[in-house]
Amino acid sequence: MKRLLILPLLALASASCAPQQPEEAHLRIEVTNPTLSSVGLLVDRTTAYTAELDKHGRATITLPGVEYLYARLVYGEQTRPLFIQRGDGATARFDGLHFAESLEVDGKNRAANDYLRTTTLPEGPSYDVSWDEFAQGLQEQCTGIARLLEVRGLDSLCPDFARIERLRLRYAYAQPMLVYEMGHRMMTGDTTFRVGPALTDSVRKLVVAREELADVPEYRDFLRFGIPLLLQDEGVAIENSYDRTVATMRYIGERFPDGRVKQSMLRSLALEYLQAEGVRNTGELQNLANSYLTDPRMLADYRAEISRHDLTAAGRPSPDFTAVDRTGRRYTLSDFRGKYLYIDLWASWCGPCKRELPHLKRLSERFAGREILFLGLSVDSERDDWEKALDSEELPGTQLWLDPSSSFAADYGVDGIPRFILLDKEGHIVESNMLRPSSERIDSYLESLKDI
């Protein structure tokens, strides 16, 4: 999958002249002297769009479900901020040789984009001052930068933007509050310093659902980091990133009214964790997403990400294993390529496993000489137990002892044995939870395999 900067491209934009839908926004790109073949639009931590430039240096990026969006246009290693509004139909023009200096954005929000391109937010006050001084300093800086909206006449030129921008600035200048205690401790050496209710009260006033800010990064980040601060103040233990993600999702799921903020935050929190850490041991996260995510598009994004991490989906290359035979020779999955592979995960202590053995023997004899191999992988923790079973049981096919350090069983999510797995001739998964040898349908199933 192509990548833009460090983010997976969950959706690929299309260059299309199709009629604009009510919930969509279109951003047209026109590049003179193009030095690259594509442009990108960075939406948030989990979503980016890319579009290939045609021979004239043009492309269109279509954004579904947008009301007001702060994003970053990406050209190579350079990025520039954009404000996009539903129904805007904006056009971004630039010279590929001088992207940052030449970028202009036409449309009804041209003045807004000129403001974003030429305005830098001053840093907040120093963390070594008192809480009252710090909070007052943030408020003064926010008020000062907001005056530029009046100076540039944006209240009349781009009234929707001016209103949203004032809210964005409020959240941008509130973010330093979330790390004030840590910053004050580091700068003063007072490791016991606490602000108390004044901090949590200030944060709680801002942790509210603001539908018009659903796609504004500063607002979303404040929720992402402000909610865990409130939860810890309530006594909720948060020890790692997974705890923080789950606790924040639960807070939003239970306390926010249904709407775009709730849906988009749940989606982004889940996707951000899954993209960084994978799907293993995320049962609670998945339960929350499946319970509270109801928006069809956002639910589809979440399910696509889950599927991307499903190592055992049909058609995917099988997870590998390392196993040994009785002589100590080591085997991996590649040693069994060229024929279908019917894998039996079993153990010497497993009664149901032993009851399948006569059926497995019959099956291996039934398909002897055909394009299928039968492989037993013992999950016994002790090799001696496996070897005793080799002496006492009539075990069909090839029998190996699975290395205890192998993640093969865990990769398949095995929580009970016997477990049967069927792979094709190239080592791709046909069935991750295959019919047992005792099944009445097993013979006809195997007979139906191509070129067996």
Side-chain angles (χ1 to χ4, degrees):
M1 183 174 287
K2 294 171 63 179
R3 289 179 180 265
L4 176 64
L5 298 183
I6 60 172
L7 295 178
L9 298 179
L10 298 183
L12 299 181
S14 59
S16 170
C17 295
Q20 184 164 322
Q21 300 300 314
E23 296 297 320
E24 292 179 345
H26 288 193
L27 175 66
R28 291 180 289 274
I29 312 292
E30 296 180 3
V31 186
T32 58
N33 302 315
T35 58
L36 300 170
S37 61
S38 64
V39 293
L41 192 71
L42 204 59
V43 175
D44 58 33
R45 286 183 172 87
T46 63
T47 308
Y49 294 80
T50 187
E52 298 296 321
L53 297 171
D54 65 17
K55 63 181 180 180
H56 303 293
R58 297 178 179 178
T60 298
I61 295 177
T62 300
L63 300 162
V66 169
E67 181 71 27
Y68 308 106
L69 176 68
Y70 286 80
R72 297 193 72 85
L73 186 65
V74 182
Y75 191 68
E77 298 297 321
Q78 301 182 79
T79 72
R80 280 295 179 269
L82 290 179
F83 177 77
I84 302 169
Q85 186 175 359
R86 187 172 65 195
D88 190 353
T91 300
R93 298 184 177 91
F94 60 89
D95 185 331
L97 298 173
H98 307 285
F99 167 66
E101 300 84 358
S102 64
L103 176 64
E104 292 184 354
V105 183
D106 288 340
K108 67 180 181 181
N109 285 304
R110 176 169 185 161
N113 281 295
D114 287 344
Y115 158 88
L116 289 177
R117 184 168 50 86
T118 58
T119 302
T120 302
L121 301 186
E123 292 185 4
S126 174
Y127 289 101
D128 60 357
V129 300
S130 70
W131 166 252
D132 289 340
E133 289 179 87
F134 187 79
Q136 181 64 29
L138 291 176
Q139 179 60 46
E140 291 174 355
Q141 287 187 321
C142 181
T143 301
I145 198 73
R147 289 197 186 100
L148 296 180
L149 297 170
E150 300 175 17
V151 173
R152 297 198 180 201
L154 288 167
D155 287 303
S156 57
L157 293 172
C158 306
D160 288 339
F161 169 77
R163 177 173 59 85
I164 299 300
E165 177 64 5
R166 285 189 173 87
L167 292 172
R168 183 184 79 93
L169 291 172
R170 184 182 181 192
Y171 279 94
Y173 279 102
Q175 286 187 26
M177 294 193 308
L178 303 177
V179 293
Y180 170 73
E181 281 188 349
M182 180 178 66
H184 190 84
R185 291 170 188 165
M186 291 178 62
M187 296 193 71
T188 64
D190 183 358
T191 58
T192 63
F193 173 78
R194 289 288 306 276
V195 175
L199 172 58
T200 51
D201 288 348
S202 297
V203 172
R204 189 170 286 106
K205 290 176 183 177
L206 295 173
V207 176
V208 292
R210 301 294 300 261
E211 291 297 297
E212 68 272 43
L213 302 183
D215 294 304
V216 176
E218 289 79 3
Y219 168 72
R220 294 163 64 92
D221 283 346
F222 192 88
L223 296 183
R224 179 179 282 106
F225 300 109
I227 289 173
L229 186 148
L230 296 180
L231 288 170
Q232 288 179 312
D233 185 65
E234 294 175 8
V236 177
I238 298 177
E239 299 181 358
N240 50 51
S241 62
Y242 182 69
D243 290 347
R244 182 170 62 250
T245 299
V246 167
T248 305
M249 289 179 66
R250 180 177 290 108
Y251 185 103
I252 291 172
E254 294 177 351
R255 308 192 199 190
F256 273 41
D258 202 26
R260 182 165 173 78
V261 169
K262 180 174 181 174
Q263 295 295 305
S264 63
M265 284 300 299
L266 289 169
R267 169 196 173 276
S268 63
L269 286 164
L271 265 60
E272 184 177 340
Y273 184 86
L274 293 171
Q275 289 173 3
E277 304 294 339
V279 74
R280 187 175 295 175
N281 299 321
T282 59
E284 197 170 2
L285 180 152
Q286 294 184 51
N287 287 339
L288 289 168
N290 288 325
S291 298
Y292 289 114
L293 261 180
T294 57
D295 179 274
R297 185 176 63 83
M298 296 185 190
L299 183 59
D301 285 347
Y302 161 74
R303 287 176 174 169
E305 185 64 28
I306 287 289
S307 178
R308 190 172 75 85
H309 291 278
D310 183 2
L311 300 178
T312 62
R316 293 201 174 203
S318 171
D320 204 354
F321 62 78
T322 301
V324 297
D325 65 13
R326 194 161 194 169
T327 69
R329 177 183 171 183
R330 301 182 72 82
Y331 290 83
T332 64
L333 183 59
S334 62
D335 292 306
F336 300 94
R337 297 262 171 88
K339 291 188 177 183
Y340 288 100
L341 189 62
Y342 186 90
I343 299 174
D344 171 22
L345 286 169
W346 69 285
S348 61
W349 45 262
C350 171
C353 300
K354 293 179 180 180
R355 288 194 289 272
E356 290 293 329
L357 290 179
H359 303 284
L360 183 59
K361 180 183 178 183
R362 182 201 63 79
L363 201 63
S364 64
E365 292 173 350
R366 163 80 168 74
F367 286 88
R370 307 285 291 276
E371 294 295 302
I372 186 169
L373 298 173
F374 293 86
L375 172 65
L377 290 179
S378 167
V379 296
D380 280 297
S381 58
E382 299 295 334
R383 182 170 173 174
D384 286 347
D385 294 335
W386 167 65
E387 291 188 347
K388 290 176 182 177
L390 292 182
D391 294 333
S392 61
E393 304 287 350
E394 192 173 353
L395 303 174
T398 301
Q399 295 293 327
L400 303 177
W401 180 61
L402 193 63
D403 190 320
S405 66
S406 172
S407 64
F408 185 75
D411 287 339
Y412 273 96
V414 175
D415 55 8
I417 54 175
R419 174 72 171 268
F420 298 90
I421 299 165
L422 180 64
L423 307 182
D424 69 13
K425 297 179 181 182
E426 300 301 320
H428 293 88
I429 298 167
V430 178
E431 292 285 350
S432 63
N433 198 354
M434 180 55 183
L435 295 171
R436 293 188 176 195
S438 58
S439 169
E440 294 180 356
R441 297 187 292 114
I442 186 66
D443 288 60
S444 59
Y445 186 102
L446 294 181
E447 284 288 1
S448 70
L449 296 175
K450 182 180 178 181
D451 298 327
I452 194 170

